[in-house]
Amino acid sequence: MKLFISADIEGCAGVSFADETHKNETCYKKFAEQMTKEVAAVCEAAYEAGVEEIVVKDGHGDASNIDPLSMPPYVVLIRGKSGHPYNMMYGLDSSFDAVLYIGYHAAAGSPEFTLSHTSTGNSRQIFLNGKIMSEFMLNTYTAASLDVPVILISGDEAICDSAREAVPGITTIKTKRGTGGATYCVSPAKVLEELKRKTKEALKNVEKCRIALPDSFEYMVSYKDWKKAYQMSFYPGREIVDTFTNRLKSGGWLDVVTAHCFVVY
Ligand SMILES: [Zn+2]
């Protein structure tokens, strides 16, 4: 069995403030170490369950958060950004059996986690076929386009609940929940224990997590800044909805993923 892990930092144990996710801040280091531990815990549990091959994509910021010197021998870690529109899913192809997400977070506009956003802080909200689009949704459709099921997500309560709605068979590990600017954090020891135990459970539910990709897409971004909305309305195929909002309609998932890589950055 071959697994793909996409990892972010905002949903890892304890992380509650933006500076804790920024590489040049002194408080960042211990959270990057925790992200590394969470990824390693999932890899170890999967290996114990018989998985032979694991590719990990570091998916936060410039993608240099996970310590490459702490990865077990059966893991390949993809660091840095290739420029490919798959971004946090770069490296995934149809040869993989399943995808797991570590440290994911609520979508832009979600009031349930103080660090909620989708890919960047430029959008107020993004809608995909009328539903709020999170990084979970974006990346899960990329996996579905390759017919690879997403079997596990760890992160804040809001993203875990919306993941359950989209993929009822998915295994979730809730690491925190927020109210306004406050965050209730589960202890790192408990998060690591749950990641190990639930990874083994998730590996038994691969088929339950397979979802169909929609036939067509309406991808709509509502920006915080109307000037950004004006500029991005010139991306090929984009229509202006209102002063703050543009949309793109397409039958091809790669068109949406590629547009997303340009218009919210
Ligand atoms: Zn991130």
Side-chain angles (χ1 to χ4, degrees):
M1 203 182 194
K2 190 175 169 188
L3 298 184
F4 186 89
I5 295 176
S6 170
D8 206 347
I9 200 167
E10 288 88 346
C12 290
V15 179
S16 318
F17 293 89
D19 55 357
E20 293 166 350
T21 73
H22 296 158
K23 205 174 179 176
N24 296 327
E25 303 289 345
T26 43
C27 57
Y28 159 86
K29 196 170 167 269
K30 61 187 172 200
F31 294 103
E33 283 166 10
Q34 178 62 22
M35 180 185 182
T36 300
K37 282 185 197 165
E38 292 184 20
V39 168
V42 168
C43 292
E44 280 160 25
Y47 187 72
E48 282 168 25
V51 171
E52 301 98 37
E53 208 181 334
I54 304 174
V55 173
V56 175
K57 176 71 187 92
D58 190 325
H60 175 74
D62 67 356
S64 67
N65 311 280
I66 298 167
D67 177 6
L69 308 181
S70 299
M71 290 295 104
Y74 43 86
V75 171
V76 171
L77 172 64
I78 305 177
R79 310 181 74 212
K81 294 203 156 193
S82 67
H84 188 284
Y86 279 3
N87 199 355
M88 297 172 82
M89 299 294 272
Y90 175 69
L92 183 68
D93 60 39
S94 53
S95 71
F96 286 84
D97 296 293
V99 172
L100 299 88
Y101 299 141
I102 312 293
Y104 269 44
H105 54 81
S110 164
E112 297 106 343
F113 181 36
T114 182
L115 296 177
S116 64
H117 66 278
T118 302
S119 304
T120 66
N122 287 332
S123 66
R124 224 168 57 82
Q125 277 177 323
I126 302 178
F127 293 92
L128 186 64
N129 293 351
K131 288 193 171 164
I132 287 183
M133 190 187 88
S134 59
E135 292 169 25
F136 164 84
M137 187 50 92
L138 173 77
N139 294 341
T140 298
Y141 277 1
T142 294
S145 75
L146 298 165
D147 196 26
V148 185
V150 178
I151 63 169
L152 178 143
I153 180 169
S154 75
D156 67 279
E157 185 173 88
I159 196 60
C160 287
D161 289 346
S162 62
R164 259 259 158 75
E165 248 170 64
V167 183
I170 199 167
T171 298
T172 61
I173 295 105
K174 295 178 180 178
T175 60
K176 64 193 73 179
R177 73 183 166 82
T179 302
T183 311
Y184 294 67
C185 300
V186 176
S187 94
K190 185 160 186 223
V191 168
L192 289 173
E193 183 276 312
E194 282 203 20
L195 283 169
K196 282 186 190 159
R197 182 166 48 81
K198 291 196 173 179
T199 295
K200 288 178 182 168
E201 265 174 49
L203 290 168
K204 296 175 190 156
N205 294 333
V206 172
E207 283 315 309
K208 282 188 200 163
C209 297
R210 213 173 282 280
I211 60 162
L213 191 69
D215 298 330
S216 63
F217 306 97
E218 187 198 55
Y219 165 78
M220 189 162 84
V221 181
S222 171
Y223 293 90
K224 289 176 179 169
D225 175 8
W226 63 265
K227 293 185 283 299
K228 186 82 179 169
Y230 174 74
Q231 182 198 358
M232 291 306 165
S233 71
F234 293 96
Y235 183 89
R238 298 272 281 176
E239 303 163 25
I240 295 173
V241 177
D242 61 39
T243 312
F244 290 90
T245 312
N246 303 324
R247 75 176 162 209
L248 176 87
K249 289 180 178 169
S250 174
W253 181 243
L254 195 58
D255 291 344
V256 176
V257 178
T258 307
H260 182 75
C261 280
F262 286 89
V263 302
V264 300
Y265 282 82

